[in-house]
Amino acid sequence: MSNKNSRRDMIKKAAALAFASTTLSSLTNRVMAHEDAMDEKLKGNINHSVCAWCYNDIPLEELCKASKTMGLASIDLLDPKDFATAKKYDLTCAMVASINKDWGITKGWNRVEHHDPLVEYYEYLIDETSKAGFPHLICFSGNREGLDDELGVKNCAQGLKRIMSYAEKKNVTIVMELLNSKVNHHDYQCDHTAWGVELCKAIGSERFKLLYDIYHMQIMEGDVIRTIQDNHSYIAHYHTGGVPGRHEIDETQELYYPAIMKAIHETGFKGFVAQEFVPKRSDKLGSLKQGVEICDI
């Protein structure tokens, strides 16, 4: 082989090696950039939580661990027995549960005959919530069962006022959830924002607010963003969910959550938004991560 051909071969090999090196470097940089993007922290405009009941087939400890990795700061709707598990992962419970064998969504504060036992139950829950250093404790109106809405407000206010001074003393906010009575909770009384706001006004305490469930209120009244803007001073907490079906909050449903989150943020809201959809896909934690990313405006 001539010296000329030998030099040409050497140049070709050097060029191929340089190309391979450049390509490998480029590929490595792309992989690292992808990993950096995956590990990017949440923006901090929305405080994220998740409702534990939507993941009942995932052990709470596993849910806490995954939530912490995703950047969530809270697990919603825990009972006092589960507080220690959340705290183990440095998570708060932004909304404490209040359902037991005697009290729940259908049987609540709108009946005067319920008030005495409910006061006793809620004083216990207020104590547990306060000792844990958690901010909010959920409550429910109960079903109408023929009770008109005006009397329902009056009865709820009468009963809840009995615990408000105790809640104020313990730095716990009592929060009534707005639920739909059309699809999921037939006959539930606190099923419109206007009714909940009237109750807030009747109680007249900064320690009584509403849980605005976006899924439920889209079903009952729509006009979600305007309603939030007009009533945000009465709202302490938000829940999500895809409409219809209460599944993932992505393009498979009718609400555009980034715009809703932007509206919430612009009200100056400093509380939590909790994912409360029931995952339809098999990768449930993947669906949760997607929901958090959609809401992280």
Side-chain angles (χ1 to χ4, degrees):
M1 182 181 292
S2 69
N3 290 338
K4 185 177 180 180
N5 289 336
S6 179
R7 284 197 302 273
R8 284 178 179 173
D9 288 342
M10 289 175 64
I11 291 169
K12 285 179 180 178
K13 288 177 181 178
L17 183 61
F19 176 78
S21 176
T22 301
T23 303
L24 180 60
S25 176
S26 175
L27 177 61
T28 301
N29 288 338
R30 289 200 301 271
V31 170
M32 289 175 66
H34 175 69
E35 288 178 349
D36 287 344
M38 291 296 288
D39 292 337
E40 185 179 354
K41 291 183 179 179
L42 298 175
K43 296 181 177 71
N45 295 321
I46 299 292
N47 295 315
H48 298 278
S49 184
V50 59
C51 293
W53 74 266
C54 300
Y55 301 84
N56 278 338
D57 56 346
I58 296 176
L60 180 59
E61 185 130 359
E62 184 180 334
L63 178 62
C64 288
K65 189 183 299 184
S67 297
K68 188 69 176 179
T69 301
M70 293 177 203
L72 278 68
S74 165
I75 304 288
D76 262 32
L77 302 179
L78 296 180
D79 296 314
K81 66 180 176 59
D82 295 318
F83 289 174
T85 304
K87 288 193 168 192
K88 177 180 176 181
Y89 292 92
D90 195 29
L91 294 166
T92 188
C93 177
M95 186 63 62
V96 173
S98 69
I99 293 178
N100 68 11
K101 63 182 179 63
D102 297 314
W103 305 108
I105 291 171
T106 63
K107 187 178 175 184
W109 289 94
N110 62 351
R111 296 282 169 181
V112 174
E113 59 269 27
H114 297 166
H115 290 174
D116 285 348
L118 273 174
V119 167
E120 181 179 356
Y121 179 43
Y122 269 80
E123 285 180 348
Y124 155 72
L125 288 174
I126 290 168
D127 280 340
E128 294 300 310
T129 303
S130 178
K131 282 191 292 185
F134 296 153
H136 299 137
L137 171 59
I138 202 168
C139 73
F140 302 98
S141 65
N143 285 4
R144 289 182 175 87
E145 296 182 357
L147 188 70
D148 72 68
D149 283 354
E150 185 177 351
L151 186 55
V153 169
K154 180 181 176 181
N155 288 350
C156 281
Q158 179 183 326
L160 286 161
K161 282 181 179 180
R162 292 175 56 183
I163 63 169
M164 290 318 303
S165 61
Y166 196 64
E168 290 162 0
K169 177 182 176 183
K170 297 285 187 172
N171 296 317
V172 173
T173 300
I174 308 299
V175 185
M176 183 170 286
E177 185 166 15
L178 295 155
L179 301 172
N180 84 75
S181 59
K182 180 180 177 181
V183 177
N184 302 102
H185 301 286
H186 296 285
D187 202 40
Y188 183 73
Q189 190 144 46
C190 186
D191 62 353
H192 282 80
T193 305
W195 192 94
V197 168
E198 283 305 306
L199 179 58
C200 289
K201 291 177 179 177
I203 291 173
S205 170
E206 282 300 307
R207 286 292 178 181
F208 183 83
K209 300 282 186 180
L210 300 175
L211 193 170
Y212 186 90
D213 190 302
I214 298 162
Y215 160 79
H216 287 296
M217 290 302 96
Q218 169 68 0
I219 290 172
M220 289 305 297
E221 57 193 27
D223 202 15
V224 169
I225 288 177
R226 190 200 313 268
T227 302
I228 289 169
Q229 290 169 336
D230 289 348
N231 299 284
H232 65 89
S233 63
Y234 299 103
I235 298 170
H237 198 75
Y238 292 89
H239 280 171
T240 74
V243 181
R246 198 178 197 151
H247 298 305
E248 282 80 355
I249 62 170
D250 55 19
E251 71 282 354
T252 61
Q253 51 91 53
E254 68 191 31
L255 290 165
Y256 185 63
Y257 269 93
I260 298 171
M261 293 300 115
K262 183 173 181 288
I264 290 171
H265 176 59
E266 288 176 349
T267 67
F269 181 69
K270 302 299 183 186
F272 278 82
V273 174
Q275 302 295 328
E276 199 186 20
F277 63 86
V278 179
K280 194 173 183 179
R281 297 195 291 268
S282 59
D283 183 4
K284 295 184 177 183
L285 293 176
S287 286
L288 172 58
K289 187 174 188 294
Q290 179 194 48
V292 171
E293 290 172 346
I294 287 169
C295 290
D296 194 52
I297 48 91

